[in-house]
Amino acid sequence: MNYKIDVYEIDELNQYRFALGSISTKTLCVFGINPSTADDKTPDHTIRKVMGFAERNGYASFVMFNLYPRRATYPHDLPDLADEIVMRKNIEIISKIVSQVVEQRKRCDVLLAWGNSFYLRDYLGACLKEIYVSLNKHPIRWLRIGELLKSGQPRHPSRPSYELKFENVDMNVFLSR
């Protein structure tokens, strides 16, 4: 898969990245915790792994989203409290792009991919639930890489082998835990 980016949503100061990727007839949407250094010109390690998983599973493109869009190389550098305005904008952009993916394919495949960093900030669970509610009107197939971690969270894409397969996730069960 070539690194061709035509979906790149950031704020004017590049402190927040809301979306990164491209839309095709077979797009994998991916949710991490927070964006790091990847931009529209250069991928980072996580994005390269996302591209590898996408390509090996038959996708022609990907769009990377995050539960919280604040750029931070390390998730523990995220703010202690979420900015509600930023959360709303993140959800608005995610909904718009997922709608475009559904128009192309009639459904959207969404890979949950964040690892144990989910527990670093209390607001990440609320972000996930609000994103899920906003996307619930779309036909979505929720996925993870292999089995859930012992913590019950989906694997981060930078760590597992490409040999692990995508597994379906029942979001109602996942969110009720």
Side-chain angles (χ1 to χ4, degrees):
M1 178 179 296
N2 292 324
Y3 194 65
K4 175 185 166 269
I5 303 300
D6 53 26
V7 174
Y8 188 57
E9 297 274 351
I10 60 172
D11 71 311
E12 54 281 345
L13 299 176
N14 197 21
Q15 293 178 329
Y16 298 94
R17 189 187 77 209
F18 301 96
L20 171 75
S22 62
I23 298 172
S24 68
T25 56
K26 188 136 190 220
T27 302
L28 176 66
C29 291
V30 182
F31 276 95
I33 290 288
N34 66 287
S36 184
T37 60
D39 61 22
D40 58 334
K41 307 281 186 276
T42 308
D44 60 15
H45 177 67
T46 298
I47 295 298
R48 282 191 293 276
K49 286 288 287 203
V50 163
M51 291 169 61
F53 274 107
E55 187 170 42
R56 283 167 176 78
N57 283 278
Y59 295 92
S61 65
F62 73 94
V63 176
M64 186 79 198
F65 300 116
N66 289 280
L67 300 181
Y68 195 73
R70 174 74 173 156
R71 282 189 184 270
T73 302
Y74 304 102
H76 63 267
D77 291 335
L78 286 170
D80 292 333
L81 300 172
D83 181 320
E84 291 291 326
I85 294 169
V86 169
M87 285 175 56
R88 296 282 150 245
K89 183 170 183 173
N90 193 39
I91 290 169
E92 176 185 311
I93 290 170
I94 290 167
S95 295
K96 176 186 77 167
I97 294 170
V98 166
S99 292
Q100 292 170 355
V101 171
V102 169
E103 284 177 28
Q104 286 281 332
R105 188 156 183 246
K106 307 299 179 229
R107 111 169 161 220
C108 185
D109 291 353
V110 174
L111 180 66
L112 307 177
W114 52 71
N116 288 323
S117 296
F118 186 81
Y119 298 110
L120 291 174
R121 296 293 179 262
D122 291 339
Y123 58 81
L124 294 172
C127 291
L128 174 59
K129 287 178 182 173
E130 289 185 39
I131 290 167
Y132 175 71
V133 168
S134 76
L135 298 181
N136 208 19
K137 64 183 176 246
H138 298 293
I140 293 180
R141 183 170 68 142
W142 300 90
L143 303 165
R144 65 175 189 255
I145 300 168
E147 294 297 319
L148 292 173
L149 299 171
K150 288 179 184 176
S151 65
Q153 295 303 317
R155 297 173 188 279
H156 188 280
S158 67
R159 297 178 183 42
S161 162
Y162 289 126
E163 293 174 11
L164 289 179
K165 303 293 181 212
F166 286 175
E167 304 286 336
N168 289 321
V169 175
D170 181 330
M171 284 302 284
N172 291 316
V173 172
F174 183 79
L175 292 172
S176 69
R177 298 178 298 114

